[in-house]
Amino acid sequence: MTDRDEILKQKLAHAGVDAEHAQSALDIDAILQAWRRKVFKRELGYRALSELDLPLDLPQLDVLMAVWAPANEFGGEDGSETMVSTVAQRLHIDPSRASRMTSELITRGFLKRAVSQADARRTVLELTDQGARIVDAVRTYKFLVLGSYLQDWSAEEIATFLPLLERFSQWSESAACPGGLVTEEINKLRGSLSDLSPDEAVKEG
């Protein structure tokens, strides 16, 4: 593995990425891949459902969260009216799936339909008291866990970490059009694979 990484770093050097930053990229990617697998499994979400003994699954919980729309998760939409299409947009799911899930949650008493205050012809979604209690409990659980973990961090560490995390979270957008030597190397990579047909690529994979 080390030899392969050294070969990779040599390729990056051709694009102007020095050895120190190449190694940093490898280290960051290793952490992110491990984190992605944990996030993909939704470990914290499953723990919340299990430890709080809640009568719903994670996709249903996601819908309740999308209706409640906490500002820190949905970019300042807190308090705005929510329709089925809004849920689909916030969760990046198909509108038909959002419709089925919201209907089921309405049947189970966690959501309710209401008339829009902005347009009486429009139906909006709201949490029932039961739904609101679930959202409040899960969010409290999550921040109890995260907050207790951060207790071991100093104020200076947090002050350093947060702006760097925010900056790093935008890396994919900033790196979408790298230009210069990086673009040239990407073009070479594409050219080196041009002889692979889709069928051959599948066989190799």
Side-chain angles (χ1 to χ4, degrees), residues 143-163:
F143 291 112
L144 281 170
V145 173
L146 181 57
S148 64
Y149 171 75
L150 291 175
Q151 285 287 98
D152 293 333
W153 291 43
S154 69
E156 291 77 14
E157 287 174 327
I158 294 174
T160 300
F161 176 72
L162 287 179

Side-chain angles (χ1 to χ4, degrees), residues 5 9 13 24 41 173 192 194 200-201:
D5 285 349
K9 284 191 279 189
S24 296
K41 291 192 294 184
E173 291 83 356
S192 71
S194 61
E200 289 174 334

Side-chain angles (χ1 to χ4, degrees), residues 99-112:
S99 179
R100 290 194 300 271
M101 294 178 71
T102 53
S103 294
E104 181 178 353
L105 288 167
I106 289 169
T107 299
R108 298 184 62 188
F110 300 130
L111 289 179
K112 62 182 178 181

Side-chain angles (χ1 to χ4, degrees), residues 14-28:
H14 287 299
V17 181
D18 62 66
E20 182 178 352
H21 287 91
Q23 185 60 54
S24 296
L26 287 167
D27 293 341
I28 290 171

Side-chain angles (χ1 to χ4, degrees), residues 78-99:
D78 191 15
S80 62
E81 292 185 331
T82 301
M83 299 173 290
V84 172
S85 59
T86 316
V87 171
Q89 181 181 18
R90 288 173 180 165
L91 297 181
H92 305 288
I93 61 176
D94 187 86
S96 61
R97 185 184 179 200
S99 179

Side-chain angles (χ1 to χ4, degrees), residues 3-199:
D3 290 341
R4 285 183 287 181
D5 285 349
E6 290 303 319
I7 293 171
L8 176 57
K9 284 191 279 189
Q10 291 173 15
K11 294 179 181 178
L12 296 180
H14 287 299
V17 181
D18 62 66
E20 182 178 352
H21 287 91
Q23 185 60 54
S24 296
L26 287 167
D27 293 341
I28 290 171
D29 182 69
I31 294 170
L32 289 179
Q33 293 303 326
W35 191 7
R36 177 186 61 81
R37 286 188 285 271
K38 287 179 178 291
V39 171
F40 183 76
K41 291 192 294 184
R42 305 286 300 277
E43 291 179 354
L44 185 58
Y46 280 115
R47 280 173 52 192
L49 293 178
S50 175
E51 292 189 28
L52 298 177
D53 197 24
L54 294 175
L56 70 169
D57 58 27
L58 271 179
Q60 292 169 334
L61 177 60
D62 288 340
V63 171
L64 295 185
M65 289 292 182
V67 174
W68 199 68
N72 69 320
E73 295 182 36
F74 295 100
E77 296 183 45
D78 191 15
S80 62
E81 292 185 331
T82 301
M83 299 173 290
V84 172
S85 59
T86 316
V87 171
Q89 181 181 18
R90 288 173 180 165
L91 297 181
H92 305 288
I93 61 176
D94 187 86
S96 61
R97 185 184 179 200
S99 179
R100 290 194 300 271
M101 294 178 71
T102 53
S103 294
E104 181 178 353
L105 288 167
I106 289 169
T107 299
R108 298 184 62 188
F110 300 130
L111 289 179
K112 62 182 178 181
R113 294 185 178 92
V115 177
S116 166
Q117 298 299 309
D119 184 347
R121 298 168 297 177
R122 191 167 63 198
T123 300
V124 297
L125 297 169
E126 295 178 354
L127 295 173
T128 63
D129 289 342
Q130 287 186 326
R133 287 170 58 199
I134 288 174
V135 168
D136 180 67
V138 171
R139 282 177 55 78
T140 301
Y141 175 92
K142 178 170 69 173
F143 291 112
L144 281 170
V145 173
L146 181 57
S148 64
Y149 171 75
L150 291 175
Q151 285 287 98
D152 293 333
W153 291 43
S154 69
E156 291 77 14
E157 287 174 327
I158 294 174
T160 300
F161 176 72
L162 287 179
L164 290 176
L165 180 63
E166 173 65 22
R167 178 180 174 184
F168 185 77
S169 71
Q170 301 171 12
W171 82 268
S172 59
E173 291 83 356
S174 300
C177 302
L181 291 173
V182 172
T183 298
E184 292 179 16
E185 291 299 317
I186 292 173
N187 289 336
K188 290 179 184 177
L189 284 173
R190 183 170 59 250
S192 71
L193 301 172
S194 61
D195 62 317
L196 293 178
S197 67
D199 290 339

